[in-house]
Every structure is written in C-alpha cells, then in structure tokens.
Amino acid sequence: MSQFPDPNTLLQEAQKQIEQVRSLDALEEARIAWLGRKEGRLTLLLKQLGGLSIEEKKLYGPQYNSLKARLEELLAAQEENLRSQERRRALENDTLDITLPGAPVAYGHLHPLSQIMDSLVSIFRSLGFVCADGPEMENDFYNFEALNVPADHPARDMQDTFYMESAAKQLSLPHLTASHADQEPNLLRTHTSPVQVRVMQKYPPPIAIVCPGRVYRHEAQDATHLAVFHQMEGLMVDEGISFADLKGTLGRFAQLLFAPTVKTRFRPSFFPFTEPSAQMDVSCWICEGAGCPACKGSGWIELLGAGMVNPKVLSGMNIDPEKYSGFAFGVGIERIAFIKYGVHDLRLFYENDTRFLEQF
Ligand code: DAH
C-alpha cells in the first residue's frame, strides 16, 4: 500500500500550494497538476484505485474521493478570493477623482462684429431706442430718393452701387414689372439709412430706433475697404428734437462704448438726408487727448456721421416738418472694431481664421 500516500499529507501539500497561488493562471496550473484529466496527481491515484482489492477500495475509495472534493472546494475558494482581489484592484485603479479639473471644452463665441453690434444695440436700448430691421435688397426709392439723394449723386453710380435686375424683369412678367416697379428691389442697399424710411412710412412719431445690418458697395477691397460691411443707423423723431438731443445722445453713447471720460466734438459735414450735418469725433481715450499713434497724434478719432433729419425727408414720409424734427446718425461697425481693437486690416474679420477670432 506504500504507493498510496496518506490523503492528509496530500491535502496539506495541495492546500499549501493553492494558498500560495497569486494569479488565476497559476491557480489553473495547480488545478491541472492535481486534478487534470490525464496527468493530475490525484486523478492518477484515483485511476490506480481501480486495480485494488475490494477491501482496499473500501478503505481508500472514500478517503480519496473526499480528498478530491476537498481539493475542488479549496480551488473554488481560492478562485473566488483571487477574483475579488482583482475586482478590488480594478476599482482602486479606476477610482474617479471628482476634484480633478475637467477636460476643457472648446466653446465657440459670437463673431467680434456681432459682439460689437450687440453692444451698440444694448447701449441704445438703455437710452430708450428700439431695434428695427430692413431688407438688404432695396430699390432706388428707399436707398436714395426718399433720402433726398439726388439722381446725379455719385453714390448712385454703378461704381458705388450693386444694381440687379428685378425678379419680375428677370422672369419677364411685364404686368408685375409695371405695377411693382417702385417696390421691386433693384439694388443692394449701400447704407442702413433706408430702414429710416421704412420705419417712418409705417409708424408715426415719436420714433427712436437703431438698425444694425449688412450693407454693400461696389469697392475694390483692401485693408480699409470692403464690398460687404456693417453699419448701424439711428433715428429719433418727435416734437422739439434739437441738435442738443443729438449731441447729448451720441455723447453718452461714446462714453458707454469707450470710456466714461470720453469727450465728443462735432464738425460740419454734408449728407443729403440731414441738414445740418456733422461728423462726430471722440477724444482719444488711449492718450486722453495728448496724441498717440491710435489717434495719429491729433487726440481725436473720427467716429460717425450724423445730423438733423432733412425736412424734405420728413415731409416725403408725411411727417409734418413744422411740427416734428429729428436727428439721425450712421456708424460703421467695422470702423468701431478698427478703433476699439486696433485691427488695421478689416479683411481679417472675414477670413474666419480662428487664431484671429479667438482673441475677442
Ligand atoms: N448713410 C451714411 C453713410 O452710409 C451714414 C449716415 C450719415 C447716416 C449721417 C445717417 C446720417 O443717418 O444722419 O455713410
């Protein structure tokens, strides 16, 4: 019987081996070493039991069978033990540190020109103006005639204005062409001033509006000229509006836009739709008037055109110029960007290079 070792000794040996195992792979090796179907130590012993006498089988059979059951239990327990260790390790490695700063999300933002338009509108809102809108495809009446721009005015020249054929003409619908001639758009607006006309046509005074929007000029493009750019028009009409209202409103606007200490000055100018007309300059807030490169040493920066609404424009809209008066102004959005940010090539605003746009 010497070939059959003591089951307890075997159990101790196997137990020690199983407890020392540190990985599931090694545990599988141990299982094969003891219980593998062909070469397992215990498997081979159990096979040899078949050759024993009945008495010996009765003696060893149960002992070895229970040894096998015990080994299976030990293997299962160690497997569970290793698996839970592995889970714990994975959890420890995967812990989420909620105090770590998050991965940055690249937010987009409004285009600098949109930002400027928004800030102009909100400044004028705070002064009691409302925002109005008008079409970019206009006609001679709104863009020129109603604004007292004479037929021979250079702005009407093909050099300055983009003209287009009316849709009715293009589609050769003569009945439409005839009756809608004065309403059909035939040009791209060269300024936002036609919105004044549309508002006065529709609403009686008091009027206080601003209208930001895109305008078009037949220009050769360079650093300071674009064929498509933006303006904001302003109009206030009521009884007793005077040049003092114009000065007060636009002076306050400049302070809110640039700096509270900014001063304004008005120089005579000419626009067909205003009389008198003026250019408004703002004192340079960078050098506070002392003279610097931004104001080309003059201490002043030209900002916008303005004036008292020409009585002819009012009467053309059936607003009695004896009773009502008003002021109007037009300001270039790109010009403000140019002044405020010192961007000296306006084309940069239209190239959509994010390295440029991200700076605003
Ligand atoms: N429409 C003018 C332009 O495009 C700007 C302007 C000047 C508008 C004076 C006005 C104004 O309403 O009063 O250059």
Side-chain angles (χ1 to χ4, degrees):
M1 268 331 300
S2 58
Q3 57 176 325
F4 284 100
D6 173 28
N8 279 328
T9 317
L10 284 181
L11 178 63
Q12 273 171 20
E13 192 186 332
Q15 189 165 9
K16 204 169 158 203
Q17 197 182 337
I18 290 168
E19 277 167 2
Q20 277 170 357
V21 153
R22 285 291 158 263
S23 75
L24 287 167
D25 285 345
L27 184 67
E28 179 61 7
E29 276 170 26
R31 191 191 64 76
I32 291 168
W34 287 95
L35 299 175
R37 258 199 279 161
K38 281 190 192 144
E39 305 283 329
R41 252 172 97 183
L42 190 55
T43 314
L44 291 176
L45 286 169
L46 285 165
K47 273 183 190 160
Q48 287 169 31
L49 282 181
L52 294 180
S53 67
I54 303 230
E55 289 74 38
E56 284 172 325
K57 271 190 208 164
K58 273 190 182 160
L59 176 65
Y60 289 110
Q63 287 182 6
Y64 275 87
N65 277 327
S66 71
L67 173 62
K68 188 183 177 198
R70 186 73 193 115
L71 281 191
E72 279 167 348
E73 270 172 35
L74 286 171
L75 286 165
Q78 180 65 333
E79 183 179 342
E80 178 49 36
N81 183 21
L82 289 172
R83 283 195 194 283
S84 78
Q85 274 177 22
E86 203 168 78
R87 267 197 302 274
R88 204 174 327 121
R89 223 176 299 126
L91 279 176
E92 273 164 19
N93 292 340
D94 279 0
T95 41
L96 180 66
D97 183 352
I98 57 165
T99 65
L100 280 176
V105 175
Y107 285 111
H109 63 73
L110 287 178
H111 190 278
L113 296 176
S114 301
Q115 291 180 32
I116 291 178
M117 281 197 274
D118 285 357
S119 68
L120 297 198
V121 168
S122 70
I123 288 173
F124 279 97
R125 280 222 175 102
S126 77
L127 299 173
F129 287 70
V130 296
C131 203
D133 202 5
E136 289 173 25
M137 293 194 298
E138 275 291 8
N139 60 29
D140 282 286
F141 176 74
Y142 289 103
N143 199 75
F144 297 125
E145 273 162 51
L147 289 162
N148 193 38
V149 181
D152 60 356
H153 194 282
R156 293 213 190 187
D157 201 288
M158 295 285 265
Q159 306 302 318
D160 288 288
T161 306
F162 285 115
Y163 285 95
M164 58 204 175
E165 283 213 333
S166 79
K169 237 186 186 167
Q170 276 185 39
L171 299 170
S172 49
L173 304 169
H175 56 291
L176 276 184
T177 317
S179 60
H180 292 251
D182 57 342
Q183 285 162 36
E184 279 279 312
N186 71 335
L187 54 82
L188 294 174
R189 67 180 181 191
T190 59
H191 50 181
T192 41
S193 305
V195 187
Q196 284 189 30
V197 181
R198 290 184 175 274
V199 169
M200 286 190 277
Q201 221 176 23
K202 218 167 156 189
Y203 303 103
I207 292 168
I209 52 131
V210 284
C211 12
R214 205 175 279 143
V215 300
Y216 302 83
R217 299 231 180 129
H218 200 293
E219 297 266 14
Q221 309 221 60
D222 60 28
T224 53
H225 296 87
L226 300 169
V228 183
F229 55 103
H230 297 81
Q231 286 189 337
M232 191 181 77
E233 191 75 13
L235 173 73
M236 176 173 265
V237 181
D238 200 358
E239 287 180 47
I241 297 290
S242 71
F243 207 94
D245 296 302
L246 183 160
K247 285 182 75 174
T249 307
L250 296 182
R252 184 82 188 111
F253 156 63
Q255 290 175 344
L256 292 170
L257 182 62
F258 296 117
T261 49
V262 153
K263 291 197 252 322
T264 46
R265 100 180 160 182
F266 292 83
R267 288 177 291 118
S269 185
F270 174 78
F271 300 103
F273 31 91
T274 46
E275 181 57 37
S277 303
Q279 284 290 339
M280 184 176 95
D281 300 340
V282 288
S283 62
C284 181
W285 68 98
I286 297 168
C287 62
E288 302 199 326
C292 72
C295 58
K296 297 198 191 104
S298 73
W300 295 94
I301 298 174
E302 190 177 312
L303 186 64
L304 53 79
M308 300 306 293
V309 180
N310 193 314
K312 283 191 197 166
V313 172
L314 292 176
S315 54
M317 294 294 109
N318 293 321
I319 294 174
D320 181 2
E322 297 294 324
K323 190 173 173 200
Y324 293 105
S325 54
F327 69 82
F329 59 92
V331 54
I333 305 298
E334 282 79 358
R335 170 140 192 90
I336 292 188
F338 175 91
I339 297 171
K340 224 178 139 129
Y341 302 130
V343 173
H344 291 289
D345 190 335
L346 299 182
R347 291 169 295 193
L348 287 166
F349 287 112
Y350 292 88
E351 282 167 2
N352 282 336
D353 185 334
T354 49
R355 289 170 303 178
F356 172 73
L357 296 174
E358 271 166 2
Q359 299 173 58
F360 298 93

